[in-house]
Every structure is written in C-alpha cells, then in structure tokens.
Amino acid sequence: MTDFLKDLNEPQRMAVENSNGPVMVIAGAGSGKTRVLTYRIAYLLSKGIDPFNILSLTFTNKAAREMKERIALLVGASKAKSLWMGTFHSIFAKILRIESEKLGFPSNFTIYDTEDSKRLLRNIVKEQQLDNKVYNAGYVLNRISNAKNNLISAMDYNEDAEIQTYDIQNRKPKIGLIYSLYQQRLRKAAAMDFDDLLFNTNILLRDFPEVLYKYQMKFNYILVDEYQDTNFSQYLIVKKLAANNENICVVGDDAQSIYAFRGANIQNILNFKKDYPDNKVFKLEQNYRSTQNIVNAANSVIAYNKDQIRKVVWTDNDTGEKIRIMKAASESEEGVLVSNQIFEIKMNKQLANSNFAILYRTNAQSRALEEALRKMNIPYRIYGGTSFYQRKEIKDLLAYFRLVINPNDEDAFLRIVNFPARGIGKTSIEKLVVKANDEQQSLMHIAADPDNFNLPVNSGVKNKLQEFVTMIKSFSALMKQYNAFEMGKKIASAAGIFKHYHQDESPEGMNRKENIEELLNALKDFSEMPSDVEGEEEIKTLDVFMQDIALMTDADTEKEDPSDTDKVTLMTIHAAKGLEFPYIFLAGVEENLFPSQLSLNSRAELEEERRLFYVAVTRAMKQLTISYAETRFRFGQFTICEPSRFIDELNPEYVINYAAPPGFRKQSWMGESFSESRKKFSEKENKTGVNQSSVSEQKENDSLFQSISADELKPGLNVQHQRFGMGKVEAIEGQGENAKATVVFNNFGKKQLLLKFAKLKILN
C-alpha cells in the first residue's frame, strides 16, 4: 500500500512516516514541501485513518485542490474527497456555518471581501461626516484587520489606552468609533469579513467548550502548510484544536517568512519546539529547483539573519551560471538593459517568453520596465492586476446572487437596488439608509413595507422598491430547485443584466458582456462538476457556488487565457512566493528601495527584507540577474542611489558583474541619446528648483570611492568603504574581474569583496 514512498528522498520519507506526535518539517526553497504534505496525508490514509479525521490547512484554495488531486492518484479519489482540506478561511467558514446559531448568525451569512469592507467603511465615514482623506478606507480597514488578527474586539479597542493614544497621535481619534459601527453594520447585514472568520472561530472555541471538544475529537491529525505565515489568530485556533492528542505536523521555512505586514508572526515557527517539547524536526535541505550557484548565493545572504532555524540548503543540479549584477545609470536604462537581455537570451536559446520573469520590490517600479519591453516588442503580463471576480460587471451580478441568498446583505442591496436603473434615485436611497439605521432594521425589510415605516419618499419610488423586493424574494424561493447555472441565468435575465450590457456596443461594453458570459460558464462548470464531498446533495446550488467564490484568494482568481500565456511575467516579490521561472531578473536592488527605507528601524524588519531577497533569489531555476540604478525618480524627486547591502552580502564567489555592450549608452532611446536625455533632465531640474549643489556634492563624494584593481591593493593597507566604513586589507586573491579582497572592517567585521564591484578609497 505504501510503495509510493520510494519516490521520496530519505529526509522526506522520515517526515512522512513519523505520523504521530508533533512534527515540524523545515522545508528549504525548492525542496519538495508540497510532496511531503501530500505523501504524509496519503500515508495516513493508507494506514486506515478515516479521511474525515484529517484536517489539512493551506493558504490558497489552488494549493488545496492540487494536493487533493495528487492524493487521489496515490490512494484513490473516494478517500481524497472526504478530507477536511482547504484554506484557513474556507475550513473555518464551514465550521462557522455549522455552528452559526451559537454566535447569533444565520448559516447563510455573507462573507465580505476587501472591496466590500472598504465600501462599507466609506459609507460609515460619510455618515459620520468625517474627512475621507484622514479616514482613508484602506488605512482604517488595515487597523481593524490588525486588531482582529490579534483578537482585539471593537470594545477592547476602544478601552485600550495605548491604542487610543496611538490613534490620537496619528490624528485619527475616531477609528475606534468606526470599528464599532462597522461591526454593528456587519452584524445587521448578517455578514462577516475575512478576518471575522478567524476571530469568530476563536470566540466559538473559547466560549463553547463542547464545540472545542467536538472538533478536537474529530480532527485526530492536523497538518499546516506555510506555518511561518500564520498570524496569532490562526496560531491560537490550531493550538487549541491540536491540544488533545498533539498529532500536529507543520511545514514551512522561516527563511521565507515575508508577510509580517499582513500579521504573520515568524515566532510561531521559531517557537514550535517550546509549544511542543516532544516534537520531532525534519529538515528538507536538498533543492531540486535551482543551480548550485543560485542555491549557494542565497545561502550566503540569509546567513546574515540572526533569528532563524539553521539549515544548509544544497543541490545536485548543475553548477550553472554565476549571478549577474547589472549597473544602470537610471531606471530607464535599467529597463532597457533588462529587456535587451531578455531578447538576447530568448533569441540565442530559442526560448519562449514565459521562461522569463521580472521581479521588483514595489509596483511603481514596473513603469520603466514596461516601457522598455514595449519598445522591444516583448509581450508581458503584470501578475496581480484586477482579478476576474473584482471587475465591476461581475461584482454587480454577484451582488444579485448575494442578496438572493442573504436578504439582509446591505452592501449587495445598495449596489443593485438601482442597477440596472429602475428609477430609485440617490436621495431616495439615502433616506432608506437613514430609516433603516434609525429603526435598526435591514434595508430589505424597510423596502418591503415602506408605508408601515413612514419612509419619506413618493409613491412611485415606494412601488419600485416593493417590486425590487418581490423580484429578489421570488429568486430566493426558487434557489434550491435549480442548479447554480440555471438560477444564475434566470437572475441575470430577469434583473435586466443581459439587456443592459447588450445595449452597450462600445469595446468596453463588449468586454463586459463577455465577462458576464464567462461568469455563467463558471456557473455551468461548477454545476456539472462531481461533488467534492461525500454525501453532498446532487444539485449544486447557487449558495454553494457563492461560498466558494467568497473564499477565493488572489492566487485562485488569476485567470489564464490559453492564448495569452507566452508572455514575460512582471510581479512584486511578494506575489512571486511559491512560483519559479528559469530566468529571473530582479530589478531595483538599491538601498532604501530594497531593503525598504521603512524597514531600517529594527533588526527584525531588516531581517524580513533579507528573507524577501532570499525568496526572490530562490525563484530562479537557471539564471538570475540582479540590477540596480545609480539614479531614480522616487516620490517625484530625483534621487542618487547606491546598490543594496544585499548585493554586498552575496558571496563574491557566486556573482559576476555584467558590463553593458560597448556603445550601449550612445544608442538611441525614445528618440534621443542617453546623454542628451540626461542633459535635458538637468536643465529641467534647474528650472524647477532642485538643489543642484547637493546633487553635485553627492557626485563629488561618490567620486572619492573607485573600483580598485588587485594591483593597487596589498595586505595591510587601510581602506574606506562607502557603507562599511574603515577597514584593513587582510588578503588579495584572483585576477581581473574575479579579483577579491578580504577586508576586516572596524564595525562590520571581516568581509570578502569583489573588487570589480566594490568601491573603495585607499587611506595610506
């Protein structure tokens, strides 16, 4: 039954077979983490463990689906179907629907996504007559989200003196009030946001011991993927559920913990041994993805982090090319260098565009890269744009579905009560909202009986509101009789969605119509798909479809057009986690950009940036090119840049400097030579009042530090480095471009520098 274990290497097999008690699997980049999780579950099933007693938590639905498919191939589809496997949010949403009455929610509660939450917050800010620039919806939602992830309720938030002081100092003293009103409105709408799914699960397990005991007895084996990315709320749920028998297996890599800004706490994985003293640790250190040079270079950088679980990642793959460091005069030139390199490699090796990815620290960096790719006629796609399910026309139709399922959903009601236009004006809607708030009733309830509630609108509007309510209620009555596709088609037709978009013959209108048709295709696929859960009803209804959609992450909603796949991928490093490409270009690796200037306040923040750099390096399979610019526009200002400290931390043995082709800067760019562009730029800066003396002073200071050849240095010489300061040369080795110097710096200790790259000043 367990012949499949022969596919595993020794550490992988040991991690799979040690199935009882607490186990931590530290999985280096490209080491087969998903394989271990998959095979561990298959191993448990092959030993007779009931699939209903296994809980497997992931961070994307896509990862869960792929794992389930692999498990089905190993032990059969019937066993794989019954696993409790999915994202934290989807699994706990399922539990909350089962136990909803205990928390005073209906089982058909709506789940608000980020945009729904922001829209509600904007409405609250407007109703409270607050400045929407001061109380920006994104900022307020982030504050509320952080509070919920740390299990701080609205009441706790308002009673915490430290939190209140922080908000007052930031001139946003009303956030606590907004948080309270936000939760009241969610409750009135029978809705939860994403963070509530975890927050309320914690409340459920805390306040109802019988529920906690029920799920402790049910989940005899718990597996958690990407454990380094869990926040406090997720950590606490898992710890409670595993407390009975401690058959818990967590898989992750502390070196790839890069989501602190979302609440992820690296201490969860670092403290696993303290939480479970009887734990076993297995380290997956063989990298199957990258060349030896890439693996070794990544190791050399991450070694600078103090807070980590030590491991030595290695590979049997080819040595591969050295990591190339490219210096550009400006961000525009960086874009040209990168696009030229992609074009050259693609032509020389006859490769598809999809072999290449360009990674960067911030989205704003994509502009110059996009311009250069367009100039070279290289097709590209930006990963992480507006997902299919966030497009306006899709959100409109989904709002109809939501209101049919949950008539108390206020956000959905407000979105569609006058869409398509049915003569219910903005003023009438505002009066309806005020009346609903005064009466503490749902909008639907007031709209159904406007006379009884003395709604101050004319009889025509009252009739239209009642017609709208009647239409929604008729859909609700039919919902369980039809599958999701049939019901969705009825709603789109009767509500006037089809007619509305068919009348718009503009290119945008045609595109929206195609998107509506694509949503109906998704409904059809869903309706015809065999049930994923044993014993589930044959008819796959609209409410089940909407539960799946509400819990989709960005990674799940990225739509792939088969005719649109051969493109260079552009994305932030955060978005690239979990992906791999043969050729990676890492752009903008400059101090104060990467690492971010905002991360230099503490060692913990800097170490997270270094982990992010490690993630970027380890996405590359065959070749990695790192580029930086000497000048860049940032926040509308011309900035002199210096290469990132992370470049200096790469062991010189694994890197090489890439020189631009002879005459590169004389080539025409955007219709003029680079030198002419720079001259015009300088003239423009003089007119706009940029402090030219400070720029000149910076350049003069930089000119004191030069690339020095091995012949100019000898052991014992005192030197100064731009960042590391004073030091003494200890040894020189190598010749030409590969010459290295070992320097002992007063404040930074011993460092090995590639002389071609390092800029030094000889002091004696």
Side-chain angles (χ1 to χ4, degrees):
M1 278 294 287
T2 56
D3 290 346
F4 53 78
L5 295 184
K6 68 180 185 302
D7 299 333
L8 305 175
N9 63 32
E10 185 62 18
Q12 289 174 337
R13 188 182 60 76
M14 289 174 67
V16 166
E17 289 184 323
N18 280 270
S19 54
N20 290 318
V23 169
M24 179 166 65
V25 181
I26 300 300
S31 64
K33 166 181 70 69
T34 305
R35 168 172 281 207
V36 165
L37 268 174
T38 304
Y39 277 58
R40 186 179 171 89
I41 294 170
Y43 180 77
L44 289 171
L45 293 172
S46 71
K47 292 295 183 183
I49 304 299
D50 192 323
F52 285 99
N53 297 139
I54 298 174
L55 171 64
S56 178
L57 298 166
T58 65
F59 273 84
T60 67
N61 291 300
K62 183 180 177 184
R65 278 196 304 272
E66 288 174 354
M67 284 174 61
K68 222 175 221 187
E69 288 167 5
R70 291 195 204 180
I71 292 166
L73 291 173
L74 294 172
V75 296
S78 60
K79 287 184 178 179
K81 269 186 182 182
S82 301
L83 290 165
W84 276 63
M85 176 181 281
T87 64
F88 282 88
H89 292 93
S90 65
I91 293 294
F92 299 135
K94 187 175 179 180
I95 290 174
L96 286 170
R97 290 195 191 280
I98 295 169
E99 312 292 345
S100 59
E101 286 186 10
K102 291 182 174 63
L103 297 176
F105 278 87
S107 61
N108 65 340
F109 63 81
T110 299
I111 299 170
Y112 278 18
D113 65 20
T114 301
E115 286 309 309
D116 300 328
S117 295
K118 285 181 180 178
R119 191 160 45 250
L120 175 54
L121 286 169
R122 281 191 287 267
N123 289 339
I124 292 170
V125 167
K126 184 179 178 182
E127 290 163 16
Q128 293 298 308
Q129 298 181 330
L130 299 171
D131 188 336
N132 60 10
K133 292 178 182 175
V134 174
Y135 293 96
N136 172 274
Y139 177 87
V140 176
L141 182 60
N142 188 53
R143 288 287 289 165
I144 292 172
S145 177
N146 285 339
K148 288 182 181 180
N149 286 333
N150 286 288
L151 303 182
I152 299 170
S153 68
M155 183 185 294
D156 295 334
Y157 191 100
N158 283 290
E159 291 177 354
D160 190 299
E162 188 177 338
I163 291 174
Q164 293 305 305
T165 300
Y166 179 89
D167 284 344
I168 290 167
Q169 288 174 345
N170 282 277
R171 299 180 179 178
K172 296 175 176 64
K174 299 290 187 181
I175 288 181
L177 170 65
I178 297 170
Y179 185 5
S180 296
L181 293 172
Y182 174 71
Q183 290 306 116
Q184 289 172 21
R185 295 284 282 275
L186 284 173
R187 171 73 71 163
K188 188 152 75 84
M192 298 186 197
D193 66 16
F194 258 47
D195 297 311
D196 283 327
L197 297 176
L198 302 179
F199 185 93
N200 288 335
T201 301
N202 271 294
I203 299 300
L204 184 69
L205 300 181
R206 182 196 70 188
D207 293 352
F208 298 92
E210 71 280 11
V211 175
L212 173 60
Y213 181 75
K214 170 183 171 180
Y215 289 101
Q216 284 178 337
M217 292 298 100
K218 178 176 179 59
F219 300 131
N220 295 328
Y221 292 87
I222 299 173
L223 301 94
V224 186
D225 191 12
E226 304 285 13
Y227 191 63
Q228 78 280 350
D229 292 336
T230 54
N231 60 33
F232 177 66
S233 185
Q234 291 163 328
Y235 161 81
L236 210 57
I237 294 169
V238 170
K239 197 167 190 303
K240 284 180 179 178
L241 291 176
N244 189 56
N245 54 37
E246 294 195 344
N247 284 334
I248 178 171
C249 172
V250 302
V251 181
D253 182 7
D254 59 293
Q256 296 185 65
S257 178
I258 59 173
Y259 292 117
F261 67 96
R262 291 183 188 168
N265 187 354
I266 192 173
Q267 295 305 319
N268 293 347
I269 194 167
L270 296 179
N271 291 337
F272 186 82
K273 292 183 178 181
K274 292 180 183 176
D275 289 336
Y276 303 97
D278 297 331
N279 76 93
K280 295 175 183 173
V281 178
F282 301 97
K283 296 181 180 180
L284 309 183
E285 297 173 305
Q286 183 174 0
N287 180 298
Y288 291 94
R289 175 189 297 152
S290 308
T291 63
Q292 290 179 24
N293 273 323
I294 291 170
V295 169
N296 292 338
N299 286 344
S300 70
V301 171
I302 203 64
Y304 281 83
N305 272 12
K306 182 179 177 182
D307 288 339
Q308 63 172 300
I309 299 168
R310 297 287 171 183
K311 60 183 177 298
V312 181
V313 180
W314 59 278
T315 184
D316 272 341
N317 293 342
D318 294 339
T319 303
E321 297 183 42
K322 291 189 176 184
I323 293 172
R324 297 192 292 181
I325 309 294
M326 281 197 316
K327 177 174 72 174
S330 68
E331 59 197 300
S332 296
E333 184 179 290
E334 180 183 41
V336 178
L337 281 168
V338 168
S339 58
N340 279 351
Q341 279 296 293
I342 290 174
F343 183 81
E344 186 180 314
I345 296 168
K346 190 175 78 163
M347 291 297 105
N348 289 343
K349 301 191 176 184
Q350 294 297 295
L351 298 172
N353 293 308
S354 55
N355 283 277
F356 301 88
I358 306 174
L359 309 183
Y360 35 77
R361 180 65 181 82
T362 65
N363 280 306
Q365 291 170 251
S366 73
R367 182 196 55 77
L369 297 161
E370 289 184 70
E371 286 179 3
L373 290 168
R374 283 198 296 267
K375 188 79 174 176
M376 295 287 292
N377 290 319
I378 298 173
Y380 66 90
R381 70 183 286 252
I382 296 183
Y383 187 98
T386 303
S387 73
F388 179 77
Y389 289 101
Q390 289 297 332
R391 290 169 183 161
K392 181 192 178 300
E393 60 276 13
I394 300 302
K395 292 283 280 185
D396 289 338
L397 186 49
L398 292 179
Y400 272 98
F401 297 170
R402 283 167 47 182
L403 197 59
V404 168
I405 296 162
N406 174 14
N408 291 323
D409 188 337
E410 293 195 357
D411 180 73
F413 183 101
L414 290 171
R415 187 176 189 108
I416 60 172
V417 66
N418 196 41
F419 180 83
R422 50 178 59 91
I424 304 171
K426 184 180 177 183
T427 304
S428 297
I429 294 171
E430 287 173 352
K431 290 176 179 177
L432 178 63
V433 170
V434 170
K435 179 61 72 173
N437 289 340
D438 289 345
E439 299 286 345
Q440 284 298 296
Q441 297 287 342
S442 71
L443 294 170
M444 184 71 86
H445 193 65
I446 303 290
D449 195 1
D451 286 327
N452 187 46
F453 288 101
N454 296 315
L455 183 65
V457 296
N458 63 48
S459 58
V461 171
K462 288 178 183 177
N463 290 335
K464 286 163 185 168
L465 284 170
Q466 288 177 308
E467 287 170 6
F468 175 74
V469 171
T470 300
M471 177 179 68
I472 297 298
K473 285 184 175 179
S474 67
F475 293 148
S476 299
L478 295 171
M479 188 174 62
K480 292 294 183 181
Q481 298 175 31
Y482 295 92
N483 66 33
F485 170 67
E486 293 165 340
M487 196 68 232
K489 196 172 179 181
K490 282 179 183 293
I491 293 171
S493 178
I497 298 284
F498 282 149
K499 184 179 178 182
H500 176 81
Y501 286 117
H502 275 77
Q503 288 174 340
D504 186 352
E505 295 182 357
S506 68
E508 294 82 5
M510 295 293 288
N511 188 48
R512 291 190 183 107
K513 185 175 72 173
E514 288 171 2
N515 286 336
I516 292 291
E517 289 170 355
E518 178 59 27
L519 177 57
L520 292 174
N521 289 339
L523 283 164
K524 191 168 181 61
D525 289 344
F526 173 82
S527 300
E528 294 175 352
M529 195 185 303
S531 175
D532 216 21
V533 180
E534 207 169 271
E536 194 172 77
E537 292 179 27
E538 286 301 312
I539 297 180
K540 305 199 83 172
T541 51
L542 189 63
D543 54 334
V544 181
F545 174 80
M546 287 302 292
Q547 287 175 31
D548 284 0
I549 295 304
L551 292 161
M552 281 190 171
T553 64
D554 290 343
D556 299 314
T557 57
E558 282 287 333
K559 285 257 173 193
E560 284 286 0
D561 181 346
S563 64
D564 193 39
T565 53
D566 189 27
K567 292 185 176 182
V568 174
T569 298
L570 275 67
M571 63 172 75
T572 64
I573 304 163
H574 281 101
K577 188 169 180 288
L579 303 177
E580 59 184 33
F581 296 88
Y583 297 86
I584 291 280
F585 288 81
L586 179 55
V589 186
E590 297 141 26
E591 202 67 10
N592 296 325
L593 180 56
F594 194 18
S596 163
Q597 191 168 9
L598 300 174
S599 70
L600 303 179
N601 299 319
S602 68
R603 179 172 58 80
E605 291 173 329
L606 180 59
E607 290 199 352
E608 170 133 343
E609 287 287 294
R610 189 175 286 113
R611 292 194 295 270
L612 188 60
F613 184 77
Y614 175 84
V615 166
V617 171
T618 55
R619 299 311 93 198
M621 300 164 71
K622 293 184 177 180
Q623 187 184 85
L624 172 65
T625 301
I626 296 172
S627 61
Y628 68 93
E630 293 180 301
T631 62
R632 185 179 295 274
F633 257 125
R634 293 199 69 202
F635 312 114
Q637 297 292 321
F638 180 67
T639 309
I640 303 292
C641 309
E642 61 173 310
S644 168
R645 69 188 71 196
F646 299 148
I647 294 177
D648 286 322
E649 291 171 359
L650 289 164
N651 187 325
E653 183 180 344
Y654 309 117
V655 304
I656 189 168
N657 284 295
Y658 170 81
F664 171 78
R665 287 180 182 161
K666 294 179 183 177
Q667 293 174 0
S668 173
W669 169 242
M670 299 294 281
E672 57 188 21
S673 71
F674 180 79
S675 59
E676 287 169 348
S677 299
R678 184 172 244 178
K679 183 180 177 184
K680 287 182 183 178
F681 175 81
S682 299
E683 290 169 354
K684 186 178 179 183
E685 289 302 309
N686 283 328
K687 289 177 184 175
T688 54
V690 169
N691 188 342
Q692 290 295 315
S693 61
S694 64
V695 174
S696 302
E697 195 176 296
Q698 176 73 43
K699 287 182 177 178
E700 187 179 333
N701 187 47
D702 288 348
S703 68
L704 298 174
F705 295 88
Q706 302 289 340
S707 296
I708 296 173
S709 69
D711 296 334
E712 297 175 76
L713 287 180
K714 61 181 180 181
L717 273 182
N718 290 313
V719 294
Q720 184 179 354
H721 185 274
Q722 275 180 302
R723 181 148 60 274
F724 300 133
M726 308 294 186
K728 182 174 285 189
V729 179
E730 185 179 82
I732 307 290
E733 59 180 285
Q735 291 294 324
E737 288 201 348
N738 295 318
K740 304 169 197 167
T742 301
V743 181
V744 180
F745 290 100
N746 298 347
N747 296 321
F748 289 87
K750 187 183 294 186
K751 292 192 177 294
Q752 194 174 48
L753 307 174
L754 194 65
L755 291 179
K756 176 76 176 177
F757 179 68
K759 289 186 177 181
L760 297 168
K761 181 167 67 174
I762 298 175
L763 300 178
N764 60 359

